Amino acid sequence: MASPMRSLLADPDRYLQSFRLFLERSTEHQCMQEFVETQLPDVIASIGNGKSTINVLSVGGGAGEMDLQILSKIRARYPGATINNEVIEPSADQISKYKERVAQDSNLENIKFTWHKETAYEYESRMNAEKKAKKWDFIHMIQMLYYVKDVPATVRYFHSLLESQAKLLIILVSGKSGWATLWKKYGSSFPLEDLCSYVSSADLPRMLDSAGLKYQLYELPSHLDITSCFIEGDKDGELLLDFLTETLNFAKTAPPELKHQLMEELKKPGCSENRDGKVFFNNNLGVIVIEP
């Protein structure tokens, strides 16, 4: 009998390996970069008006790839301002990679970095305990809302920290993506553990509308090459399956029936499309920009 399924996050090394492969095989960062290049300048057009210091909060900043691109756009828009960039990130490994990136980038004068090794919830608890409510000109939460216990409460809390001209930027998988399809059908079969919520961009408008918040939505087309997932015993394919299901060694530990159903689902138009003999998973992202 197959051993019980365990969360991929139970093995941080394998998680990181699968995540790196996902970035390599997908257009995840490219489509975000395109958004930063083409749409972000409008989003940040007034966040620093008349300010000598712009305060930026990165919630779940990871290794800083996207953060540094966002900061370069803010600096280009407000060349005379000092940028105070604070990062909330629970992984020590990611923070150390972020620091390495900053050390190697000579183009960061006027930007001050502070890292907090904590979760969004720990940050909120610490601020409340210290009776602080620092206000921010720009807050971004990129691909991190899956890891919070209470999504509406987290969004409300960080929204409450916005200055009058500020913006809160959230990036998540799109409600039209293959992820949303997989989660609806098989989410209850995967071992959740630290991944607390299957949340997509389709879930946020309802929350935001009920809170009476103003926001804009953008859809970013993205795909992931999952062809290797259908080659029995392919190491990369097994890693990507782990990432898609958040399950450690899914190919070896999932009940045969679940594995069969999931592999069939992955081929369907709701999840993927076939092009030139390859299978491309729909990795579309949704961007939500929330006003103060």
Side-chain angles (χ1 to χ4, degrees), residues 31-32 38 40 43 79 90 129 146 167 177 180 188 201 216 248 263 286:
C31 79
M32 284 190 208
T38 59
L40 189 70
V43 172
Y146 323 108
K167 294 284 195 300
S177 68
S188 58
S201 66
Q216 287 168 301
L248 188 59
M263 298 310 287

Side-chain angles (χ1 to χ4, degrees), residues 56-251:
V56 178
L57 182 64
S58 164
V59 187
E65 299 101 320
M66 296 313 303
D67 284 24
L68 295 187
Q69 293 185 36
I70 289 169
L71 290 168
S72 80
K73 287 287 168 228
I74 296 174
R75 206 181 61 171
R77 176 71 183 80
Y78 303 101
T82 299
I83 299 171
N84 167 39
N85 183 66
E86 293 196 28
V87 182
I88 301 167
E89 170 54 55
S91 159
D93 180 59
Q94 293 286 77
I95 288 177
S96 101
K97 287 196 169 54
Y98 197 143
K99 287 179 175 175
E100 279 168 33
R101 242 187 199 96
V102 168
Q104 286 159 11
D105 194 330
S106 58
N107 202 20
L108 298 171
E109 65 275 8
N110 293 358
I111 305 178
K112 183 168 150 281
F113 290 87
T114 312
W115 289 271
H116 305 282
K117 186 188 168 301
E118 57 193 355
T119 63
Y121 179 71
E122 286 163 350
Y123 174 85
E124 182 180 346
S125 305
R126 179 168 65 83
M127 288 294 124
N128 289 339
E130 293 173 9
K131 301 213 174 354
K132 284 183 185 163
K134 182 169 177 174
K135 294 283 187 176
W136 301 90
D137 300 303
F138 190 63
I139 301 175
H140 57 88
M141 310 164 93
I142 297 176
Q143 294 288 46
M144 60 69 63
L145 274 180
Y146 323 108
Y147 304 98
V148 304
K149 290 272 192 287
D150 186 334
V151 174
T154 301
V155 172
R156 275 197 307 273
Y157 172 71
F158 285 101
H159 178 265
S160 76
L161 305 181
L162 292 178
E163 288 280 17
S164 60
Q165 297 284 315
K167 294 284 195 300
L168 169 58
L169 171 84
I170 295 172
I171 301 184
L172 283 172
V173 299
S174 161
K176 301 184 178 105
S177 68
W179 295 101
T181 305
L182 272 191
W183 292 344
K184 276 192 194 91
K185 288 204 172 175
Y186 299 102
S188 58
S189 308
F190 302 149
L192 257 182
E193 206 175 271
D194 292 352
L195 189 81
C196 303
S197 31
Y198 289 130
V199 59
S200 76
S201 66
D203 302 309
L204 283 182
R206 201 171 50 249
M207 292 175 207
L208 300 173
D209 290 339
S210 67
L213 299 178
K214 279 171 61 183
Y215 58 91
Q216 287 168 301
L217 279 173
Y218 305 81
E219 182 90 1
L220 308 185
S222 174
H223 60 259
L224 164 69
D225 184 347
I226 58 168
T227 314
S228 59
C229 293
F230 300 95
I231 303 166
E232 197 63 43
D234 184 285
K235 290 281 177 280
D236 284 351
E238 290 183 356
L239 262 180
L240 284 176
L241 271 178
D242 285 11
F243 192 76
L244 287 166
T245 60
E246 288 282 331
T247 303
L248 188 59
N249 295 315
F250 177 84

Side-chain angles (χ1 to χ4, degrees), residues 256-289:
E257 185 55 25
L258 174 65
K259 185 182 170 187
H260 173 73
Q261 286 175 0
L262 183 103
M263 298 310 287
E264 288 303 308
E265 191 66 44
L266 280 175
K267 292 177 192 164
K268 290 181 184 171
C271 275
S272 302
E273 64 168 331
N274 289 286
R275 286 204 311 268
D276 308 325
K278 292 188 164 189
V279 187
F280 292 99
F281 183 75
N282 180 330
N283 186 56
N284 283 12
L285 302 178
V287 178
I288 300 99
V289 177

